Amino acid sequence: MLGFGDGKYLFAISDGMGSGEEARKNSKIAISMLERLLSSGFEKETSINLINSAILNSNNSDNYATLDISILDLYAGKTEFLKNGACPTYIKKNRNVSIIKSTSLPTGIMSNISIDAYDKDLEDGDIIVMCSDGILDSNIEYANRDLWLKYLLEDIQTDSAEKIADIILREAIDNNVGKAKDDMSVIVIKVLKK
């Protein structure tokens, strides 16, 4: 999480290719560059394009990383979602869950990238769930892997962000008989307006 001091907060997940140390390295590069560039005053789109160039020009041609960014504006009650090859983001309003999908390729695949950008109004108590593909791909029962998490979120009755994150991780690990088969990241944000 990165706070901008004007009621805006940035949350981001980057998922590198594969799993393990190399994937972690690419993800860490993408997130640390994003934080530095935005903190230095670069625009979001410029920052993502610079990250893409850095990953694309690295020594390993198999490098790439997704970027999933949510910028909450607590004063305006809006959230901007920027997705670059990332997994869907879920917005839970009580038992209703909507899905925000990405159609773009990850950073580091090609020199010109597109960024999926969405603006959504949020209400007090809304819950945002961001995750890596290790979470979604853990369930092989659904042809559309996005749906198992949607259905799980619809059934969850707690509104505690920490408990929701724990439930999602536990379910994802249980989907593979108690062992994670890929890196798994999940961020759960509960919107509280003052």
Side-chain angles (χ1 to χ4, degrees):
M1 180 182 81
L2 178 64
F4 293 108
D6 56 356
K8 291 183 181 175
Y9 294 89
L10 178 139
F11 297 86
I13 290 179
S14 178
D15 190 13
M17 178 182 166
S19 63
E21 186 58 33
E22 191 64 29
R24 187 184 72 75
K25 184 175 96 174
N26 290 335
S27 299
K28 188 174 182 179
I29 289 168
I31 293 295
S32 63
M33 280 185 71
L34 179 68
E35 288 178 348
R36 283 195 315 269
L37 290 166
L38 291 175
S39 295
S40 299
F42 282 87
E43 293 294 322
K44 298 172 289 279
E45 290 80 7
T46 303
S47 299
I48 293 170
N49 282 315
L50 288 169
I51 293 166
N52 182 62
S53 294
I55 293 174
L56 186 64
N57 293 321
S58 68
N59 294 332
N60 186 346
S61 62
D62 290 335
N63 283 351
Y64 71 81
T66 64
L67 276 172
D68 193 2
I69 303 166
S70 296
I71 301 173
L72 280 72
D73 185 334
L74 298 182
Y75 295 145
K78 294 182 181 288
T79 299
E80 182 178 11
F81 298 97
L82 301 169
K83 304 181 85 54
N84 188 228
C87 287
T89 297
Y90 299 82
I91 300 176
K92 179 175 171 65
K93 294 176 182 280
N94 299 314
R95 292 199 52 148
N96 297 318
V97 177
S98 58
I99 301 176
I100 300 170
K101 292 189 177 190
S102 175
T103 58
S104 62
L105 294 172
T107 56
I109 294 222
M110 48 197 313
S111 57
N112 293 319
I113 59 169
S114 64
I115 301 163
D116 296 317
Y118 308 91
D119 287 321
K120 298 283 183 187
D121 292 330
L122 294 177
E123 299 173 2
D124 190 51
D126 286 355
I127 295 170
I128 300 167
V129 177
M130 303 163 63
C131 66
S132 65
D133 65 355
I135 297 287
L136 293 183
D137 291 347
S138 70
N139 188 301
I140 58 171
E141 294 178 16
Y142 289 90
N144 182 345
R145 303 245 168 116
D146 305 347
L147 291 180
W148 87 264
L149 186 51
K150 179 183 189 295
Y151 297 150
L152 176 65
L153 289 169
E154 288 172 346
D155 289 340
I156 291 176
Q157 297 188 11
T158 183
D159 65 353
S160 162
E162 184 177 350
K163 287 181 182 176
I164 292 170
D166 288 343
I167 291 168
I168 292 168
L169 278 173
R170 192 169 50 246
E171 286 292 322
I173 291 169
D174 285 348
N175 284 339
N176 198 45
V177 196
K179 185 177 178 191
K181 64 179 178 180
D182 192 5
D183 300 329
M184 295 182 179
S185 299
V186 63
I187 296 175
V188 180
I189 307 151
K190 181 176 179 183
V191 177
L192 295 173
K193 295 185 182 178
K194 291 185 178 183

